[in-house]
Amino acid sequence: MANKGPAYGMSRDVQSKIEKKYDDELEDRLVEWIVAQCGAAVGRPERGRLGFQVWLKNGIVLSRLVNSLYPDGAKPVKIPDTPPTMVFKQMEQIAQFLKAAEDYGVVKTDVFQTVDLFEAKDMAAVQRTLMALGSLAVTKNDGNYHGDPNWFMKKAQEHKREFTESQLKEGKNVIGLQMGSNKGASQAGMSYGRPRQ
């Protein structure tokens, strides 16, 4: 990040569009959820995009968050005793969180890249990942979610239907409306053009 100079032209425009997607109200909700889920020991960030990024940057808060969604015996991410200070260790901690989030059920398209958080390239993507994780936790309803369930939308769940053999046979006798209708107007008595000579 130290070698990154100012952005000009199109790259500046692209970066400003990405930064506009960041939602301050969503940040407040996510901070409330993370504190409710992990406890007050994780602290609180300074308000704003950069404060949120600095709070999550070393990966410890994210790792505690994903671990809190599992029962006591099965914690997917190992958290070091002291927060990592070396860059590659911090990025490794973030990568462990991302893998654990995917294993929990977050779709790969909802998962941010490590540099999105570490270099604050796309903090809106980080918010999307945390929202997807929260939605899954609310949907699973396994007792490991803490906080207000209204903070996140429930994901749609499968509603499997079972049909008996007789119901399936009955369905073969019905003409679907996509095929048209065999009732109503017919073409009887209609003629087009001149009759044959």
Side-chain angles (χ1 to χ4, degrees), residues 22 24 38 46 53-54 64 69 80 92 96 101 106-107 118 148 173 184:
Y22 186 81
D24 291 322
C38 302
E46 291 181 28
Q53 184 254 348
V54 168
R64 286 190 179 153
L69 297 174
E92 189 177 88
Q96 286 181 25
V106 176
V107 185
F118 197 79
D148 187 354
N173 298 330

Side-chain angles (χ1 to χ4, degrees), residues 27-90:
E27 174 196 318
D28 294 338
R29 187 176 351 145
L30 289 172
V31 168
E32 289 301 320
W33 175 53
I34 292 170
V35 170
Q37 190 73 34
C38 302
V42 293
R44 287 185 177 271
E46 291 181 28
R47 286 189 53 77
R49 192 170 57 82
L50 285 176
F52 192 59
Q53 184 254 348
V54 168
W55 187 51
L56 300 176
K57 185 177 178 179
N58 65 7
I60 298 296
V61 173
L62 294 173
S63 300
R64 286 190 179 153
L65 175 65
V66 78
N67 280 351
S68 71
L69 297 174
Y70 284 87
D72 284 335
K75 303 293 182 196
V77 179
K78 186 173 186 273
I79 300 174
D81 295 331
T82 58
T85 54
M86 291 188 284
V87 170
F88 75 93
K89 287 287 189 185
Q90 291 176 346

Side-chain angles (χ1 to χ4, degrees), residues 155-195:
K155 296 237 181 227
Q157 293 175 312
E158 181 180 38
H159 183 65
K160 197 164 180 124
R161 293 167 177 84
E162 297 291 331
F163 295 105
T164 63
E165 204 56 45
S166 63
Q167 287 175 319
L168 291 172
K169 284 182 182 174
E170 251 180 62
K172 291 180 181 175
N173 298 330
V174 176
I175 297 175
L177 292 177
Q178 295 168 336
M179 315 291 187
S181 174
N182 61 353
K183 295 183 174 75
S186 71
Q187 291 183 344
M190 295 180 74
S191 62
Y192 292 101
R194 293 181 54 171

